[in-house]
Amino acid sequence: MPAVGGFDMGTGKAYPGNLTLYVTVTCVVAATGGLIFGYDIGISGGVTSMGPFLKKFFPSVYEKEALDKSTNQYCKFDSETLTLFTSSLYLAALAASLVASKVTRKFGRKLSMLVGGVLFCAGAIINGFAKAVWMLILGRILLGFGIGFANQSVPLYLSEMAPYKYRGALNIGFQLSITIGILVANILNYFFAKIKGGWGWRLSLGGAVVPALIITVGSLVLPDTPNSMIERGQHDEAKTKLIRIRGVDDVEEEFNDLVAASEASKLVEHPWRNLMQRKHRPHLTMAILIPFFQQLTGINVINFYAPVLFKTIGFHDDASLMSAVITGGVLVVATFVSIYGVDKWGRRFLFLEGGIQMIICQIIVATCIGVKFGVDGEPGNLPKWYAAVVVLFICIYVAGFAWSWGPLGWLVPSEIFPLEIRSAAQSVNVSVNMFFTFLIAQVFLNMLCHMKFGLFLFFAFFVLVMSLFIYFFLPETKGIPIEEMSEIWKRHWFWSRYVGADSYNNSLEMAKENHPVKNV
């Protein structure tokens, strides 16, 4: 009898295979797709705290922030136009991820990565040479299209390419790239802000070309996944590729299961409609709630607006950017903890430990800011040690996120979907993620102005809710082959009522017995 959260992990399958140098290098190259997302998150917050950038494009914010010293600290940066600059990207990413679903399914994961890199590169060039707000917004939209394609395809690519025993660690390479992108962006912002003449923001925005070129070139040299090749009818090439990836000749069982899963998926004429079927209720629930909860941890408040936030609690320009560099460094280091532990301790342990850590830190940060700033936003003389304490607990909070909801928010959805709905479900996952990223980015500064220090308690409440959700409703996925994942739902105390014992077996058996199939 499985435990409350579904700890039962056995499926009876253990495909042979090694962690080869070939698959490691391949996954490392693919994971660099996360650089564009991370770089953008880090750059956005930095440039919106640079005086020359605000003066040129958002003069009303500049005047409130630089000239009116009496303004309530909570409300200094409250500007709908400024937040539209940051958040417009995520609506574009939402739309692009829906289109990327068809591209990824019909033409492979590689092409989606290539399209993502090219679009992101175009957006970076436009932003670097921007002369007006409309150019900034256009550039952001193109960046969003690029992120939509990359975030839809890269996690799927990594989960399909990795041996199941190491899938967690290799997939988290995507989140590691995101955190490296954030850190690099924060460091560049720190130094570019010092450039005399006030044009350093152009280098910050235009520098996004570099991570875009990395994923563009990388996608050209990467092999496609055996799953994707089989899905497009390239069976012989797929088997050869699977042998090379796994480093053993005995891949017959895994190959046959991949073919069966592919044939079953071809019976599905409308993946989006099929996603709504009762047997896919747990997958759809996870595809919606995991990215929803990931955004409501409050992490993007830190990532987007770290320099602005640190300015608000009393740091000067250089100090606020340096504090953002520190939190970016914590993100990178803590992600390695997840890489080490995800396939040892399991997904559920990291989710729950990280959740508890974040709740405690958010309550402490809210208390510290509330005691000093009160409800009027006037801190008076803020001691350096006091601000340092706030940064310390923000860093502990960031660490908790970086080894839990950060990487696992991308890993778990990408590994639980059956092939027949994988591209469609991943698009739902990315779309929900982008929508709530947009929403948080759009309303955060307004929420900070009105909710004040209570904003941190708002996010702490949601972290509590999501931790309870994980405890009761997410089964452990550690060490389970990706095409055997359906077993965990059948054995779960709650989801078993939706996923019948025969719901997956029937379609797989039909495929294995060579029943006629209808190509989509």
Side-chain angles (χ1 to χ4, degrees):
M1 183 75 179
V4 167
F7 284 95
D8 189 345
M9 291 166 45
T11 66
K13 294 246 180 173
Y15 301 132
N18 304 311
L19 183 60
T20 62
L21 178 63
Y22 177 74
V23 79
T24 303
V25 172
T26 297
C27 287
V28 167
V29 172
T32 58
L35 287 174
I36 61 176
F37 191 27
Y39 186 88
D40 180 80
I41 290 173
I43 281 298
S44 300
V47 296
T48 52
S49 72
M50 293 181 186
F53 176 81
L54 292 175
K55 189 174 181 180
K56 181 174 180 62
F57 296 106
F58 308 99
S60 63
V61 178
Y62 175 76
E63 288 168 12
K64 276 174 72 176
E65 192 272 325
L67 305 179
D68 184 1
K69 296 301 180 185
S70 65
T71 299
N72 183 317
Q73 291 290 318
Y74 291 123
C75 302
K76 273 193 172 186
F77 296 89
D78 185 16
S79 164
E80 293 301 322
T81 312
L82 178 60
T83 50
L84 182 63
F85 161 72
T86 300
S87 59
S88 58
L89 177 149
Y90 300 99
L91 280 185
L94 187 161
S97 66
L98 300 177
V99 176
S101 168
K102 289 186 177 293
V103 175
T104 302
R105 180 179 170 92
K106 291 193 174 183
F107 302 105
R109 285 59 170 145
K110 280 182 56 175
L111 186 63
S112 281
M113 292 186 220
L114 176 62
V115 172
V118 170
L119 289 172
F120 195 88
C121 189
I125 292 171
I126 291 174
N127 272 355
F129 289 101
K131 299 286 186 183
V133 172
W134 71 265
M135 290 184 71
L136 285 179
I137 303 298
L138 175 61
R140 297 286 293 168
I141 289 172
L142 288 174
L143 293 175
F145 287 156
I147 286 174
F149 273 89
N151 286 11
Q152 203 279 341
S153 54
V154 172
L156 288 186
Y157 183 95
L158 294 170
S159 285
E160 291 180 348
M161 187 67 74
Y164 72 94
K165 292 179 182 177
Y166 307 100
R167 187 177 61 245
L170 292 175
N171 189 287
I172 290 174
F174 177 67
Q175 175 67 14
L176 178 63
S177 289
I178 292 176
T179 62
I180 291 172
I182 292 171
L183 176 61
V184 169
N186 287 334
I187 292 171
L188 292 179
N189 279 336
Y190 179 75
F191 288 105
F192 289 158
K194 296 177 179 293
I195 293 177
K196 292 181 179 179
W199 53 274
W201 61 267
R202 291 193 181 276
L203 295 179
S204 290
L205 295 178
V209 167
V210 176
L213 289 177
I214 291 174
I215 184 57
T216 301
V217 174
S219 66
L220 293 173
V221 300
L222 287 173
D224 222 331
T225 68
N227 312 59
S228 179
M229 295 168 77
I230 291 170
E231 201 170 16
R232 288 175 287 130
Q234 302 169 5
H235 288 206
D236 292 340
E237 298 94 325
K239 189 170 185 178
T240 302
K241 184 63 63 180
L242 188 62
I243 290 172
R244 185 175 184 189
I245 290 169
R246 298 294 178 250
V248 295
D249 293 329
D250 182 19
V251 297
E252 201 66 33
E253 184 181 20
E254 182 176 4
F255 178 75
N256 287 339
D257 284 346
L258 291 178
V259 171
S262 176
E263 295 301 327
S265 76
K266 289 178 182 177
L267 296 170
V268 179
E269 197 167 348
H270 302 287
W272 290 95
R273 190 183 303 165
N274 195 55
L275 184 56
M276 305 302 294
Q277 290 181 4
R278 181 181 174 86
K279 69 177 181 178
H280 292 139
R281 196 68 50 80
H283 310 87
L284 183 60
T285 301
M286 297 301 163
I288 293 173
L289 288 185
I290 287 180
F292 166 72
F293 283 140
Q294 187 190 49
Q295 295 314 307
L296 285 172
T297 58
I299 188 62
N300 279 338
V301 169
I302 303 297
N303 290 336
F304 288 150
Y305 301 111
V308 172
L309 188 63
F310 289 131
K311 256 191 183 182
T312 300
I313 61 175
F315 290 82
H316 296 299
D317 287 16
D318 282 358
S320 68
L321 286 171
M322 180 50 72
S323 300
V325 170
I326 292 170
T327 56
V330 171
L331 266 175
V332 173
V333 173
T335 302
F336 281 103
V337 175
S338 189
I339 289 174
Y340 173 80
V342 68
D343 291 316
K344 293 179 181 291
W345 308 323
R347 282 67 159 154
R348 284 170 51 85
F349 172 82
L350 289 174
F351 265 131
L352 296 173
E353 191 283 331
I356 293 170
Q357 186 170 320
M358 286 190 287
I359 291 170
I360 293 171
C361 290
Q362 283 168 321
I363 292 172
I364 292 174
V365 169
T367 303
C368 289
I369 294 179
V371 166
K372 205 63 186 172
F373 285 78
V375 294
D376 60 3
E378 299 293 342
N381 183 26
L382 191 69
K384 285 187 177 180
W385 69 265
Y386 201 90
V389 169
V390 175
V391 173
L392 172 64
F393 280 101
I394 285 178
C395 286
I396 297 173
Y397 156 80
V398 166
F401 174 85
W403 59 57
S404 62
W405 279 91
L408 302 181
W410 293 105
L411 166 62
V412 172
S414 72
E415 68 182 358
I416 63 173
F417 305 136
L419 187 61
E420 63 195 82
I421 60 166
R422 190 168 297 157
S423 292
Q426 179 67 3
S427 286
V428 171
N429 177 46
V430 174
S431 297
V432 173
N433 191 300
M434 293 301 112
F435 176 75
F436 283 99
T437 303
F438 162 79
L439 198 62
I440 294 296
Q442 189 65 24
V443 305
F444 161 67
L445 292 177
N446 191 270
M447 289 173 71
L448 178 63
C449 184
H450 291 89
M451 297 180 69
K452 304 172 174 59
F453 61 87
L455 182 61
F456 291 93
L457 298 178
F458 170 83
F459 287 120
F461 168 75
F462 275 100
V463 176
L464 174 62
V465 171
M466 65 186 74
S467 297
L468 291 173
F469 172 79
I470 292 298
Y471 181 78
F472 286 108
F473 296 108
L474 181 70
E476 182 57 70
T477 58
K478 180 187 79 172
I480 300 173
I482 193 169
E483 301 302 348
E484 294 295 314
M485 201 64 73
S486 62
E487 295 297 322
I488 64 173
W489 309 111
K490 297 175 188 174
R491 301 178 185 184
H492 190 271
W493 73 274
F494 180 79
W495 297 119
S496 58
R497 70 191 69 181
Y498 296 100
V499 182
D502 299 323
S503 59
Y504 287 93
N505 292 341
N506 288 346
S507 58
L508 290 178
E509 288 306 315
M510 286 174 63
K512 288 180 177 179
E513 293 167 11
N514 296 317
H515 281 219
V517 297
K518 183 175 182 178
N519 288 310
V520 180

